[in-house]
Amino acid sequence: MKIREKIREQIPQWMERIQRLKKDHSDFVVGEVTIEQILSGIRGVQISISDISYVDPYEGIRLRGYTIPQVLSLLPKAKNSEMPLAGGLYYLLLTGELPNRDEAEEVEDIWRSRSDVPQYVWDVIRAMPRETHPMTLFSQAIMALQPQSLFAKAYLEGLPKSQYWEYYLEDSLNLTAKIPKIAAFIFCWKYKNGEIESPDPDLDWSARFAQMIGKGADRQYQELMRLYLVIHSDHEGANVSAHTSHLVSSALSDIYLSSAAGMNGLAGPLHGLANQECIRWLINVYEVFGRLPSDEELEGYIRTQLSAGYVIPGYGHAVLRVTDPRFTAQMEFAERYLPNDPLFQLVKQVYRLAPSILGENGKIKNPRPNVDAINGCLQYYYGVREVDFYTVLFGVSRILGLTAHAVWARALGKPIERPKSLTTRMLEERVGIIQTEP
Ligand code: HAX
């Protein structure tokens, strides 16, 4: 397998770089941590390395050094499509190299051959109350696959540390192969008749997912999913889902345990669930006005929401200080395929008005849109209107990034993470508010 060979080839160079930093520069001070940072979610504290992706505040995400427009243009395209093969993206994330068509297709073939999901996983989902949130079902289904972990089994049998990554890689390929079917099953069980359409083996990973949720005939929706599943895949190592998954796998919890943990983080409204919140917000605006509001009406509505203490979903970001390039990529798609859609008109109107209103009180660090300000509108247009499913779509893509990080964490022998907590009293003593007890 090309991916395994490439990773194996690269490990010694990466190890050497890490060892050199450790050996010759271990006392170098990277930064200081202020009380402000500790009290505001460890914001901006540089705590880990990710060579898979990096979010530049003023440029946005780079996946293995490539910007979103570069990723979209340079990866091999799916058959009869202008959008990339997700298999190529996974190759890029895992190896750092742009794949040729054969290399991208090899990943797609591996996914095809490993996509069957054991029957009992469906039973686990069926045993849940129908009103369960799809993200809970998604996380549970991943957990249900955990007994399949090759790493967990081999570890018990005494796997040497130098081989951990190979088992993580196998588990990752197995999990990512099954993920579209799992998501499709949840969709069909929760909202339809419970049957998923048999996937066409000629289709690629992203289009097969579209087909399995009943969109086999919709070429544009397949294009959307190819775009969507590539651009949501990774956002460096320290956002909630990535960091949670990394932390959990640092205890040598396998891919299933660590990916499910990441998905539980993604399920929060300030993170992945924001896509669901955002579409609800847009629909609510329509319901309030019964039509596209005028600029004055929308401005008034945004101000009322803010003064009532609500956030405007899809706006702001913990790291980005510009419009999210993933938002821009989806805007371009919408301009091309659904320019007159009323919800898209509203997305554009909010984009025109909200940043300056949000910026007025100077509190928000980035008043511009993030990826979630538009992704729901696109799903809605193509008839996927089950809005509480939207975060699962994000999860299908994000598993690619989480698992790539975990494979490399094991390849480089990263240790268990164990930062340190303090008591409030300790901080008070350090700043001199209260006397240190003798
Ligand atoms: N609407 C209103 N107020 C906002 C805001 C928004 N969209 N974004 C930030 N603010 C406020 C914050 O609530 C904060 O106010 P307080 O000091 O009173 O608590 C202040 O502005 C400063 O926040 P910040 O430093 O600019 O932003 P944070 O790093 O703390 O938070 C968030 C980043 C993305 C969580 C935040 O901008 C937010 O809640 N946005 C709306 C939800 C959203 O779109 N989430 C998706 C983010 C992308 C993602 O992870 N997708 O998975």
Side-chain angles (χ1 to χ4, degrees), residues 40 43 235 239 266 268-275 278 306 310-319 321 324 326 358 361 363-366 370-373 394 398:
S40 57
R43 196 57 43 89
H235 218 229
N239 62 69
L266 195 72
L270 296 186
H271 189 24
L273 204 79
N275 61 8
C278 190
L306 290 175
Y310 297 115
V311 294
I312 307 303
Y315 282 74
H317 200 272
V319 178
R321 295 295 172 256
D324 190 333
R326 301 169 302 170
L358 280 166
N361 72 9
K363 209 169 58 163
I364 185 169
K365 300 201 184 57
N366 174 20
N370 59 58
V371 67
D372 294 323
F394 193 162
R398 188 48 65 93

Side-chain angles (χ1 to χ4, degrees), residues 23-165:
K23 188 166 153 282
D24 300 339
H25 303 282
S26 58
D27 292 335
F28 184 85
V29 177
V30 175
E32 290 175 343
V33 183
T34 63
I35 287 184
E36 161 72 17
Q37 287 176 306
I38 293 177
L39 296 181
S40 57
I42 349 178
R43 196 57 43 89
V45 180
Q46 296 163 4
I47 48 115
S48 69
I49 299 178
S50 163
D51 291 299
I52 292 175
S53 65
Y54 179 73
V55 181
D56 181 276
Y58 298 99
E59 184 188 56
I61 184 73
R62 276 183 185 256
L63 300 169
R64 288 291 195 171
Y66 296 99
T67 62
I68 289 291
Q70 287 170 334
V71 165
L72 294 175
S73 83
L74 295 175
L75 285 178
K77 305 291 178 290
K79 204 157 63 179
N80 302 323
S81 160
E82 293 174 28
M83 292 296 170
L85 284 168
L89 183 265
Y90 203 39
Y91 185 101
L92 173 68
L93 295 180
L94 279 164
T95 68
E97 294 179 15
L98 279 173
N100 59 32
R101 170 154 299 281
D102 287 351
E103 289 162 338
E105 290 286 7
E106 188 190 40
V107 180
E108 292 278 343
D109 284 343
I110 291 170
W111 279 341
R112 268 183 204 99
S113 66
R114 301 184 186 195
S115 62
D116 280 350
V117 178
Q119 183 65 31
Y120 75 84
V121 175
W122 305 149
D123 297 339
V124 168
I125 294 173
R126 286 196 191 104
M128 293 300 293
R130 193 81 61 156
E131 65 272 19
T132 310
H133 193 280
M135 276 305 278
T136 309
L137 300 172
F138 192 54
S139 170
Q140 280 172 319
I142 295 169
M143 286 297 293
L145 280 173
Q146 193 278 335
Q148 317 282 321
S149 171
L150 300 173
F151 171 78
K153 185 165 176 293
Y155 185 82
L156 278 182
E157 289 163 2
L159 183 70
K161 194 173 178 186
S162 58
Q163 288 176 26
Y164 288 177
W165 71 269

Side-chain angles (χ1 to χ4, degrees), residues 319-380:
V319 178
L320 281 174
R321 295 295 172 256
V322 289
T323 295
D324 190 333
R326 301 169 302 170
F327 171 86
T328 309
Q330 294 178 96
M331 278 286 276
E332 284 165 14
F333 185 96
E335 288 289 9
R336 174 162 175 197
Y337 291 113
L338 44 135
N340 302 318
D341 174 58
L343 264 185
F344 178 51
Q345 296 300 321
L346 181 57
V347 165
K348 286 204 289 189
Q349 195 184 6
V350 178
Y351 182 33
R352 197 158 36 74
L353 300 177
S356 58
I357 302 171
L358 280 166
E360 274 168 12
N361 72 9
K363 209 169 58 163
I364 185 169
K365 300 201 184 57
N366 174 20
R368 295 171 201 85
N370 59 58
V371 67
D372 294 323
I374 184 168
N375 48 20
C377 148
L378 294 170
Q379 294 296 327
Y380 206 83

